[in-house]
Amino acid sequence: MELLKSSLQTFLNAMTATDKTMYPVSSRNPQDFLNLIDVYLDAVFHPLCIQDPFTFQQEGWRYELDESGQLIYNGVVYNEMKGVYASPDELLITEAHRLMFPDNCYGLESGGHPDSIPDLTYESFVENYKKHYHPTNSKIMLDGEMDIDAVLSKIDSYISEFGRGEILPEIPFQNPVMPEERTISYEISPEEKDMDRVILGRQWKTANFDETEKLLAFGILQKALCGTNESPIKKALLDEGLAEDVDLFSTTGNLENTLELTVWNTTLDKKEKIDETITRVLTEQASGKLDHESLEAILNKAEFKYRERDFGTMPPGLVYGINILYSWIYGGDPLQNICIGDVYQSLREKINKGYFEDLIRETILESNHKASVCLVPSTTIAKEKAKEEREKLDAIWESWTDDEKEDFIVWLKAFKERQGTTDTPENLKTIPKLRVEDIPHEITRIKSQVTNLEIGGGRNVPIVSVPIDTGGITYLDLFFDISHVPLDELAKVTLYTSLLGDIETENYSLEQLKNSIDFNLGSFKTYIGAFNPEGDSNKAKPYAIVSISLMNQKKKEAVSLLDEILNRSKFTDTAYLKNIVQQEYLGAKQSVMSEGHNYAKRRALSTCSVYGAIDEAAHGIMSIDWIKEASDSFAETGAKLCEEFGSLSPQLFDAGKLTIGITGELDMEWLRDMARLLPSGFSAEEASYAPLDISKQAFKIPADTGFAATGICLGTMTPRDRGICTLASQIMTYNYLWNSVRVSGGAYGASMVSTSFGEISSASFRDPQTGRTIEIMRGLGDAIVEFAKSPDAKELLPSFIISTIGRTEPLMTPKLQGTKCIRMYMNDVTWDDLQGHRDAILNARPEDLEAFGLTLSEELKNSDYTVVAGEKQIEDYASLYDEIKSI
């Protein structure tokens, strides 16, 4: 944690998989990189947690007493995994793996099943560490520009002290198994009790780690067989009314890998028909019906992504390192998964030679290594498990003697006191850190230019161009002002834009359209976003955005596709649209289970600013309400919805309301040709937007943990004020919220985030005590004042300044550099604004933080908040909420 507070790191984390744990770090600063290596090697090879059980009890699990004096379980990982297992797809996959791999580690849960975590003893934890954490059992990968001698010397200073360790046995390959289907229950809300909610899982062993071509081929096949509603498996099951949605996913990165099919929302009486249909379709595909054109298109798109090597803010070297581990740890060629350009060519040559058909036949239809799982919905399973846990804990408490109970109470008091203490200044000084003086004063400015494109009829389109080297790729964003769309219709427009490129057109069937997109474009996406003119979130406007990437030689094809998609998409197939609406609702509900913090945050901010209201209406709980209503009433309203969608394009994609953003080669004639294809002349009165007038709300989900969020808006801020606000957010995330919500409360995480437009939010993740967390979050202003007035503030502040600067300048690919420049223009943010923001952070004083904290404290007194959580978490603090609903 101290590293996150004081480093310029571009990546710092630990990632656990079934058969490996990775500890990646990176930084653009040479000294910071050495510091990170130093601390990480020390943490891995000399951890205090094997000498002192506190960390095990804090991060893993422990007994506690709740407010009523009853014995309970708590712990960060324990609560995290309870949140994970609230998701039915996680239950399905875990159970299938348990059946598929009963004799090796792939049948186990790397994070620990929440029912089993309390069985782990500290002694077993230490024993496991000592067995595995030895240099002999490690792999170390370096990438990038560095002082290699200094880095190797640092590594050697840690590993040279160890003798040769025990060579651990290799992971055994699983002998093929075909166990009987496993049926388990999962929780649904009472509102869903009469709905089709059975979920089926089918898994097959596909390939071993060193079968690179085969693994890549299954990545192509999964999309060819189930990538769209018109793909063979999904289409057959949907057309026969056997399910609401179907997913197919191919795993990689393990010694043994699988193909995983999930059939969503069906009934038990349809199981046999579903399996018959899947077998029939796969047999047909293996016997000559497999669409080779689709295979080649999907392969082309996959190769584009491979050669583009755009990993967002993730350092490429770390991605390469992870891919290296996917073969190296099993004794394979470390470069096996790095240099695979020839594999794409080999697969392309095999498309017409029966290779993919053979894979279907041999690996799926004739498989002797497969498993089936059936999830049956229950409205009572959660209460039954809670009762079992309560009885178990009560029995444990009753089994203790009076002396043991007294000892436990004394221990718990001491444990809580230790949770509230911080590291001593002497301990903190042992961590190597940068100095503020080592940080460059100037921001990194990216060159861009704004021009106008004349498209005839006296019409000019603004263009923001970012002329940087993109390796022959063009990134294009088309922004259409749609501020005439009322707030309550944004959810509908969001669904409409998500369909473009995924629905037939006048000249293409859906499969033909998808093939053409995959053949000619790297990516295509249409969606709804919002921007803040003059940097004011209360002047925000919604935009329909079209984003594409392409090789420069594909510009002609890109224009043709945009014309076809934006001007000629057809919305006449009500059955197809019905399936889409149902799938969107299903996907939204699943998203809430894993990303509830984002939904809670959107909801809380929607009462604070126009931007927040637009974001909530288009992408938040408000949009889920709309899609649910559309799904429930589709039989009555579906035809009308199709009709409305059929007339939307000229209302949204009007050339007179267009702004263009382009990263890479600027070709004005090409852009002119594109803009002239767009309709123009649409006129409508601007809608009136305002923050939402809603109460403090809680939303129930079928889970044991939850998410809490607060939101306020301070309005337009100066660059200096934004800088202080950003710094305060960093301090609170890794100080007050970390200690209060994660350490003491047991949540997996919590953060405070501020934007350039005065919006400030805080949110918790997989939180067992969401009501308590709301109270903590409303004390953020006071906590900032307390920090600023503390005697250690001046000594602690430089570390936070350094890490805040690091967070404001993440690693950026060419695509992200272009995106930053273009969005700065759309929000009226200048490079001088960003320089002022940086100056404020670098020159911040405790008194600046104190003044901000006092302002925040006043605002938080009446702040809005939202909780998305399980029924018990909400009921425990029911008095906090004006309204309680279900999602």
Side-chain angles (χ1 to χ4, degrees), residues 277-341:
T277 302
I278 293 170
T279 300
R280 172 178 59 78
V281 172
L282 288 171
T283 301
E284 291 171 351
Q285 296 298 300
S287 302
K289 283 196 173 183
L290 189 60
D291 186 342
H292 289 183
E293 184 178 350
S294 178
L295 287 175
E296 187 172 2
I298 296 167
L299 185 63
N300 282 355
K301 186 169 185 177
E303 186 173 11
F304 178 96
K305 294 298 182 184
Y306 162 71
R307 298 192 183 282
E308 182 185 29
R309 298 181 184 270
D310 187 331
F311 308 115
T313 59
M314 182 82 163
L318 294 186
V319 177
Y320 302 149
I322 292 170
N323 285 331
I324 284 171
L325 285 175
Y326 287 167
S327 57
W328 194 16
I329 64 170
Y330 310 121
D333 177 4
L335 298 182
Q336 168 191 303
N337 300 314
I338 303 299
C339 306
I340 60 171

Side-chain angles (χ1 to χ4, degrees), residues 59-95:
E59 299 296 310
W61 79 276
R62 62 187 178 274
Y63 293 118
E64 278 195 11
L65 296 177
D66 65 13
E67 293 180 355
S68 65
Q70 288 187 310
L71 195 67
I72 60 171
Y73 296 123
N74 203 352
V76 172
V77 173
Y78 173 75
N79 290 320
E80 177 202 4
M81 297 311 297
K82 290 188 81 170
V84 168
Y85 276 89
S87 174
D89 52 344
E90 185 67 32
L91 276 173
L92 192 77
I93 292 169
T94 300
E95 202 61 38

Side-chain angles (χ1 to χ4, degrees), residues 108-180:
L108 304 175
E109 169 57 66
S110 62
H113 193 287
D115 292 344
S116 301
I117 287 175
D119 295 332
L120 177 64
T121 66
Y122 179 63
E123 292 73 23
S124 296
F125 169 76
V126 172
E127 180 183 352
N128 184 73
Y129 169 85
K130 291 181 176 179
K131 178 179 178 180
H132 293 95
Y133 279 69
H134 188 283
T136 302
N137 196 41
S138 70
K139 306 288 186 186
I140 299 175
M141 194 282 299
L142 301 170
D143 180 88
E145 183 179 344
M146 66 187 73
D147 182 341
I148 190 64
D149 291 333
V151 170
L152 291 177
S153 176
K154 179 70 69 177
I155 295 172
D156 184 65
S157 69
Y158 280 92
I159 65 176
S160 61
E161 67 186 71
F162 290 86
R164 184 167 181 81
E166 176 188 356
I167 305 284
L168 297 178
E170 295 181 352
I171 300 170
F173 283 94
Q174 175 65 55
N175 290 325
V177 294
M178 293 191 294
E180 292 185 2

Side-chain angles (χ1 to χ4, degrees), residues 473-685:
I473 298 173
T474 292
Y475 298 99
L476 177 70
D477 294 298
L478 307 178
F479 303 94
F480 297 89
D481 182 341
I482 58 167
S483 53
H484 63 280
V485 177
L487 201 67
D488 60 3
E489 292 189 15
L490 283 176
K492 179 176 68 177
V493 173
T494 297
L495 175 63
Y496 170 81
T497 56
S498 73
L499 286 168
L500 297 176
D502 282 305
I503 199 163
E504 66 180 354
T505 67
E506 291 178 8
N507 298 304
Y508 292 87
S509 68
L510 176 56
E511 285 302 292
Q512 289 171 334
L513 181 63
K514 296 297 290 185
N515 289 347
S516 186
I517 290 172
D518 289 347
F519 266 121
N520 296 297
L521 304 179
S523 62
F524 175 88
K525 182 181 181 182
T526 52
Y527 59 102
I528 300 301
F531 296 102
N532 301 297
E534 301 175 32
D536 187 344
S537 61
N538 279 314
K539 295 181 179 179
K541 292 182 177 183
Y543 283 77
I545 305 169
V546 182
S547 294
I548 66 172
S549 62
L550 62 146
M551 299 302 298
N552 290 341
Q553 63 268 30
K554 290 288 187 177
K555 289 180 178 178
K556 180 179 178 181
E557 292 83 355
V559 170
S560 177
L561 277 169
L562 278 173
D563 180 28
E564 187 71 23
I565 294 169
L566 297 186
N567 296 327
R568 295 178 178 83
S569 290
K570 293 172 62 178
F571 296 89
T572 55
D573 189 341
T574 54
Y576 178 82
L577 186 58
K578 178 183 178 181
N579 287 332
I580 291 292
V581 169
Q582 290 176 335
Q583 291 163 3
E584 287 291 323
Y585 179 47
L586 173 63
K589 289 198 302 177
Q590 290 302 313
S591 177
V592 170
M593 300 298 290
S594 59
E595 299 181 33
H597 56 303
N598 289 328
Y599 284 93
K601 190 159 54 174
R602 281 193 191 98
R603 191 76 171 185
L605 287 170
S606 69
T607 66
C608 308
S609 70
V610 167
Y611 179 90
I614 292 172
D615 192 31
E616 165 66 14
H619 305 295
I621 294 173
M622 188 173 170
S623 71
I624 297 178
D625 290 342
W626 183 89
I627 199 73
K628 180 183 186 300
E629 175 61 27
S631 178
D632 291 345
S633 64
F634 195 88
E636 296 79 28
T637 63
K640 181 183 177 182
L641 186 61
C642 284
E643 183 180 344
E644 291 176 349
F645 280 1
S647 63
L648 270 179
S649 180
Q651 300 176 35
L652 301 180
F653 303 113
D654 188 286
K657 298 189 176 184
L658 171 64
T659 300
I660 296 176
I662 186 167
T663 303
E665 179 181 86
L666 177 60
D667 185 337
M668 297 292 280
E669 288 306 312
W670 174 62
L671 294 176
R672 185 175 287 110
D673 290 343
M674 185 179 299
R676 283 174 173 169
L677 291 172
L678 298 169
S680 62
F682 176 76
S683 178
E685 185 178 342

Side-chain angles (χ1 to χ4, degrees), residues 682-835:
F682 176 76
S683 178
E685 185 178 342
E686 283 201 356
S688 177
Y689 300 122
L692 298 184
D693 183 15
I694 55 178
S695 55
K696 297 172 174 61
Q697 294 178 319
F699 294 88
K700 292 187 289 186
I701 57 174
D704 287 331
T705 59
F707 314 86
T710 62
I712 63 168
C713 184
L714 297 182
T716 304
M717 303 172 74
T718 66
R720 180 184 177 281
D721 289 341
R722 289 202 299 268
I724 299 302
C725 182
T726 303
L727 176 60
S729 298
Q730 183 82 346
I731 295 171
M732 290 297 98
T733 294
Y734 295 121
N735 194 312
Y736 175 69
L737 290 176
W738 176 273
N739 293 329
S740 301
V741 179
R742 191 182 196 276
V743 174
S744 296
Y748 187 63
S751 64
M752 175 179 168
V753 177
S754 59
T755 71
S756 298
F757 317 108
E759 294 180 320
I760 302 172
S761 62
S762 54
S764 66
F765 184 74
R766 289 177 179 156
D767 184 352
Q769 303 180 72
T770 47
R772 171 183 177 274
T773 297
I774 289 294
E775 300 290 359
I776 290 169
M777 289 173 172
R778 301 189 80 181
L780 278 164
D782 294 339
I784 294 170
V785 172
E786 183 178 348
F787 173 87
K789 296 175 72 172
S790 69
D792 299 326
K794 286 187 177 180
E795 187 172 350
L796 296 174
L797 195 54
S799 293
F800 284 112
I801 288 173
I802 291 167
S803 63
T804 304
I805 291 294
R807 187 166 68 84
T808 60
E809 288 198 351
L811 199 65
M812 290 192 294
T813 61
K815 176 183 177 181
L816 289 180
Q817 291 179 52
T819 297
K820 179 174 183 175
C821 293
I822 295 163
R823 291 177 181 264
M824 284 174 60
Y825 171 83
M826 298 296 293
N827 285 310
D828 289 327
V829 174
T830 68
W831 290 108
D832 287 344
D833 290 336
L834 296 189
Q835 184 63 61

